[in-house]
Amino acid sequence: SVFTLHLKATNDRLGAALNGQLNLCDLAGSERVDKSNVKGVALTEAKNINKSLSALSHVFDSLARKTPHVPYRDSTLTHLLE
């Protein structure tokens, strides 16, 4: 699940406003597949979570490096952040 918090701060004296967004993602079940010995549906879920985490790290890396392309559409999780 994803929780998005939108923030707005205003300084009436200066006439300035700041907007922000905080995204919280529940990644319950993310784990090292080789050490957990999970099988079946749990294994598939763990693989999907790990794939989403990898896509999320690519987005963070692109944003930090200020690259012209940020790969938001690589997973459902990162697409929600766009």
Side-chain angles (χ1 to χ4, degrees):
S1 61
V2 177
F3 176 79
T4 302
L5 178 64
H6 297 274
L7 306 164
K8 182 175 182 179
T10 56
N11 184 324
D12 294 332
R13 186 171 53 94
L14 297 176
L18 293 173
N19 293 302
Q21 179 175 317
L22 175 64
N23 296 290
L24 302 173
C25 303
D26 178 9
L27 299 172
S30 61
E31 54 192 88
R32 291 187 176 270
V33 173
D34 56 341
K35 291 184 179 182
S36 64
N37 295 322
V38 294
K39 293 178 174 58
V41 175
L43 176 61
T44 303
E45 182 180 323
K47 286 180 179 179
N48 288 336
I49 289 170
N50 289 337
K51 183 178 174 186
S52 291
L53 286 173
S54 179
L56 185 60
S57 73
H58 293 149
V59 167
F60 287 160
D61 184 55
S62 294
L63 291 171
R65 290 186 294 121
K66 298 184 185 334
T67 62
H69 172 71
V70 179
Y72 286 113
R73 296 186 181 185
D74 285 357
S75 79
T76 304
L77 173 66
T78 55
H79 189 69
L80 290 170
L81 300 175
E82 188 173 22

